[in-house]
Amino acid sequence: NTLYENCLYVPFAVFDISATPGDQEYVDMRVCNFETDEDFLNFAFEAKDRSIFDIPVDVERGDHILSLVTCCILFSAFVYVMNGLMPGPELAASTAPPAEAMATFTKYGALIVCIGGVFACVSTANGLLMTGARIPFSMGRDGRLPKGLCRVSKNGAPYSAILITAIAQLLLALSGSIIFIVQMVVFVTSVSWIISTTCVIFLRRNHPEIRAPFRTPGYPVMLILAYACLVFIFTRLALSAVLVSAAWILSGILCYFLF
């Protein structure tokens, strides 16, 4: 759902692409408007033809396409190089492992990482601020939170929800510990994964008639492994981060029932 309309999105293609023009796998993901229906259908057919999975979903004229692009190669390469520069125990004990790893081969290593980190933090904060505000906006619109959160400006921006989200981010920043914030994020995200994993079990058991385009392979072994990994993650978190995160989740549940 968006500010302007309600839509139902279902996956129809999953494929690898290249962002370098001229490569065989190149796809221009910046395309958002198609001049003709034929151009739109050609784009959709090419996506389905490249898809790793054969998903039985048809794309028709008038449909909206939502593209989700993830970049993992650069991150994976950086982690690989970082682990080659310093022993694992030293990286684990460091509060700034990328900076210390870079400093092993150049005196400007820490500065380079810090500059990149600042740009990354600003970009991430901007994305979280804009997308995170959609949740309180939608809940305010549906009456699950105060109606004031669904106020929008003359340009259609949910300014009340954005302001509340920005204040919440600033309060987290005032903790002064990036490790503490990361552990809170890990805990809250892991809880959401547990909920999603549990929903898969209930859907399989209570609604066997539902045939999703993509089904979890290796059921239920994969889910058991997922639970085990999440429990292991919980054991590695500081108790203070877990308690604060749990209080944050409980406060959200309380607000939900109050409104």
Side-chain angles (χ1 to χ4, degrees):
N1 296 343
T2 69
L3 289 173
Y4 314 104
E5 61 182 340
N6 294 332
C7 298
L8 175 64
Y9 290 98
V10 294
F12 73 94
V14 179
F15 54 95
D16 296 323
I17 67 170
S18 169
T20 305
D23 287 354
Q24 184 177 359
E25 300 297 326
Y26 172 73
V27 175
D28 188 0
M29 299 303 296
R30 298 171 298 176
V31 176
C32 56
N33 293 311
F34 299 91
E35 295 184 359
T36 65
D37 288 343
E38 184 178 0
D39 292 337
F40 169 78
L41 292 176
N42 287 337
F43 181 87
F45 291 156
E46 181 181 1
K48 288 187 67 67
D49 184 60
R50 293 187 175 200
S51 180
I52 300 172
F53 305 105
D54 184 14
I55 303 176
V57 174
D58 294 327
V59 180
E60 302 176 351
R61 290 181 173 86
D63 288 345
H64 294 174
I65 293 180
L66 179 65
S67 300
L68 175 62
V69 181
T70 60
C71 304
C72 62
I73 295 179
L74 290 179
F75 176 77
S76 300
F78 182 81
V79 172
Y80 178 80
V81 172
M82 184 176 65
N83 280 272
L85 293 173
M86 290 181 62
E90 294 183 17
L91 289 173
S94 172
T95 57
E100 291 193 17
M102 290 284 288
T104 59
F105 70 92
T106 173
K107 62 180 181 180
Y108 301 109
L111 178 61
I112 294 173
V113 171
C114 288
I115 293 175
V118 168
F119 281 103
C121 288
V122 171
S123 175
T124 301
N126 178 67
L128 291 176
L129 184 63
M130 300 305 296
T131 57
R134 304 290 171 163
I135 297 176
F137 168 83
S138 299
M139 295 183 69
R141 180 189 57 191
D142 297 339
R144 301 301 182 183
L145 285 178
K147 286 290 186 180
L149 291 174
C150 66
R151 295 174 182 170
V152 296
S153 66
K154 62 180 181 180
N155 295 321
Y159 65 90
S160 296
I162 291 176
L163 180 61
I164 292 298
T165 304
I167 292 175
Q169 291 185 359
L170 289 174
L171 290 176
L172 287 175
L174 289 176
S175 68
S177 173
I178 187 65
I179 301 298
F180 181 77
I181 296 176
V182 168
Q183 291 194 359
M184 285 183 59
V185 172
V186 170
F187 179 83
V188 174
T189 305
S190 298
V191 170
S192 69
W193 288 344
I194 289 177
I195 295 173
S196 301
T197 304
T198 305
C199 287
V200 172
I201 297 175
F202 277 91
L203 284 175
R204 287 282 188 98
R205 177 175 299 179
N206 300 333
H207 297 281
E209 74 281 1
I210 298 179
R211 303 294 298 180
F214 176 79
R215 294 172 66 86
T216 303
Y219 177 88
V221 176
M222 291 297 295
L223 299 185
I224 295 175
L225 290 176
Y227 279 124
C229 291
L230 292 172
V231 169
F232 174 75
I233 290 175
F234 288 155
T235 63
R236 311 298 295 179
L237 301 178
L239 179 60
S240 58
V242 172
L243 293 177
V244 174
S245 302
W248 187 269
I249 295 174
L250 291 176
S251 64
I253 296 175
L254 179 62
C255 289
Y256 178 84
F257 284 105
L258 284 177
F259 293 95

